[in-house]
Amino acid sequence: MSLKSLALLSLLALPVTALADWQLAGEDSSVNFVSVKKSTIAETHHFKSLSGTIADDGKASLTIDLASVETNIPIRNERMQKLLFNTAQFAKATVSAQVDTEKLSAMKAGQTQTVSADVTVDIHGSQQTEKAQLQVTALDDNRLLITSTAPIMVNAGNYKLLEGIEKLREVAGLDSISPMVPVSVSLVFTKQ
């Protein structure tokens, strides 16, 4: 989950095509993460509620509603909310970055740029900088698509989530759950 948050944040670290406020199109965007249990069973999950902006001064932010985690198993969703994320105390994860608004200002519809970005991820009361390899595509004059070109590897231990992972492992009767979480993002921003 923290991996998804990191992925989303890294997408926000991309430059914008114009000096105007941009809003995340949540219904067209996704943050996915993979959990690995029993050393060999990988499952993909996502968050259903995302919001974000890129301001005209280059400040980008992404907010992930951690209670919106979707694993396709209701009891697992509930366990992740309570045992891993502790959404009663830490309801949101945020990703932020300063973007270069001039770098992409000349992009025309259909043009693509690859960007290496440092994003600041804040989850569960811990803040870290993560590196992301992203591709920015100008879809038209009013929309940007930002996708990860490689998974963003998030270490749950950097975000005080190891205790939650251990609780999940115990309640599910598993021998292991990996603390390394690959996160991928696909974000669409619309110019306001």
Side-chain angles (χ1 to χ4, degrees):
M1 306 262 183
S2 56
L3 292 181
K4 288 182 179 180
S5 303
L6 292 176
L8 289 176
L9 292 177
S10 57
L11 288 179
L12 292 174
L14 296 175
V16 253
T17 60
L19 296 177
D21 282 344
W22 293 76
Q23 295 290 322
L24 182 74
E27 65 282 357
D28 297 326
S29 301
S30 63
V31 174
N32 298 295
F33 66 101
V34 176
S35 63
V36 179
K37 62 185 180 184
K38 296 183 179 181
S39 300
T40 60
I41 300 171
E43 298 173 301
T44 302
H45 316 293
H46 68 278
F47 294 96
K48 297 186 291 185
S49 181
L50 310 171
S51 61
T53 60
I54 302 174
D56 59 2
D57 64 358
K59 290 181 183 175
S61 66
L62 175 66
T63 300
I64 300 166
D65 179 356
L66 297 175
S68 76
V69 64
E70 181 56 66
T71 68
N72 296 316
I73 299 175
I75 189 66
R76 185 166 54 192
N77 292 348
E78 182 180 321
R79 288 174 177 170
M80 283 187 155
Q81 292 163 5
K82 291 181 180 178
L83 301 176
L84 178 63
F85 295 125
N86 184 11
T87 56
Q89 185 175 357
F90 303 103
K92 311 282 184 195
T94 60
V95 179
S96 60
Q98 185 68 36
V99 301
D100 181 356
T101 56
E102 294 179 17
K103 188 173 183 181
L104 297 179
S105 63
M107 286 182 72
K108 305 289 185 210
Q111 288 185 316
T112 299
Q113 291 189 15
T114 301
V115 178
S116 294
D118 288 335
V119 296
T120 301
V121 178
D122 191 334
I123 186 169
H124 211 259
S126 296
Q127 192 176 85
Q128 299 286 326
T129 299
E130 302 287 343
K131 296 203 175 290
Q133 297 300 315
L134 307 168
Q135 180 172 294
V136 181
T137 303
L139 300 177
D140 55 35
D141 290 339
N142 296 315
R143 295 184 306 145
L144 289 176
L145 171 63
I146 301 169
T147 58
S148 49
T149 60
I152 301 159
M153 296 305 296
V154 177
N155 183 341
N158 291 339
Y159 297 92
K160 300 179 184 175
L161 295 170
L162 292 181
E163 183 179 332
I165 288 175
E166 180 60 16
K167 288 178 184 177
L168 286 175
R169 187 198 64 73
E170 288 174 3
V171 75
L174 299 170
D175 59 353
S176 67
I177 298 176
S178 175
M180 293 304 297
V181 181
V183 178
S184 61
V185 297
S186 177
L187 305 176
V188 175
F189 285 89
T190 303
K191 184 165 54 171
Q192 301 298 299

